[in-house]
Amino acid sequence: MSRTHRLDLDDQTLREWDAVVLDSGPDGIVLDRSAFYPGGGGQPPDHGVLLWGGVQTRVVDARKTPDDVYLVPAEGDPLPVPGTTVHGALEDDRRTALMRTHTGLHVLCGVVFRDFGALVTGGNMEPLVARMDFNLEAVPAGFKETVESACNAELGFDRRIDVRTLPRAEAFEIPDIIRTATNLVPEDVEEVRIVDIVGLDQQADGGTHVASTAQVGRIAVVKVENKGKGFRRLRIAIND
């Protein structure tokens, strides 16, 4: 059981909060409550600051271990000692851009699965740019334009995005809940977090998302690459 309560999973709009330092040292800073997303599933970690005692500590990385969430301070910044009350604040532009990008990737995943039956084999993102790989044998004529048009239609539908947690057995009863070619949910995970773009895409996911597809903006399919037999990479950009 992690000592850090994951505020980022409770409220994805939260940007500031108060917390108490549980531990600090070479591995980073552990708080009792944290809204820093610690990275995973292709989504990079949040950045931000901790304010305490009239000084600030910049957080430039975050990572999750089986026990805790560790916040990595900028080199040379002061470390608050255990027991210190701190005020945390996320870098809003970065978090919001990553939420838009992550939801955009789920829209892309939903469209390609629905229209072409292809599963995801990999992916990665940075703020407002991303790639997603699919096990797609053939790319039909006009594929790039067709996918881009279909994705932006889904954004225009303003589909609601629901997040819920289900017991593992119940989650795996949902058809096509795993949209990756390999099931990446560890065997010891007893509760599975589900992100549901209502009417389009429902899958196991641990990242942060906007509340509806209309908040993503526009998706541009920048490039479709052939990375080998049955391996297609789509690169996208998120625009206002």
Side-chain angles (χ1 to χ4, degrees), residues 119-139:
L119 293 172
V120 174
T121 58
N124 210 338
M125 74 188 85
E126 292 295 334
L128 304 182
V129 293
R131 67 166 176 84
M132 185 163 274
D133 303 331
F134 295 92
N135 62 349
L136 187 63
E137 286 295 330
V139 176

Side-chain angles (χ1 to χ4, degrees), residues 35-166:
F36 283 92
Y37 181 71
Q43 180 177 336
D46 289 322
H47 296 170
V49 296
L50 301 177
L51 305 175
W52 54 282
V55 300
Q56 75 169 11
T57 298
R58 294 167 293 166
V59 176
V60 296
D61 195 4
R63 61 181 184 273
K64 186 179 184 301
T65 70
D67 298 321
D68 296 303
V69 173
Y70 285 86
L71 309 180
V72 180
E75 186 174 355
D77 277 16
L79 286 177
V81 300
T84 303
T85 297
V86 299
H87 184 76
L90 300 184
E91 186 179 305
D92 178 59
D93 288 348
R94 176 181 173 85
R95 161 62 85 80
T96 300
L98 286 168
M99 289 168 63
R100 291 171 61 195
T101 307
H102 200 162
T103 300
L105 280 174
H106 278 228
V107 170
L108 175 66
C109 173
V111 164
V112 174
F113 181 77
R114 180 194 66 195
D115 297 348
F116 300 94
L119 293 172
V120 174
T121 58
N124 210 338
M125 74 188 85
E126 292 295 334
L128 304 182
V129 293
R131 67 166 176 84
M132 185 163 274
D133 303 331
F134 295 92
N135 62 349
L136 187 63
E137 286 295 330
V139 176
F143 174 76
K144 176 175 174 290
E145 294 75 17
T146 297
V147 169
E148 180 176 301
S149 177
C151 285
N152 285 310
E154 295 298 335
L155 301 184
F157 290 150
D158 193 13
R159 294 190 183 277
R160 188 179 77 249
I161 298 167
D162 294 336
V163 179
R164 67 191 190 279
T165 301
L166 296 175

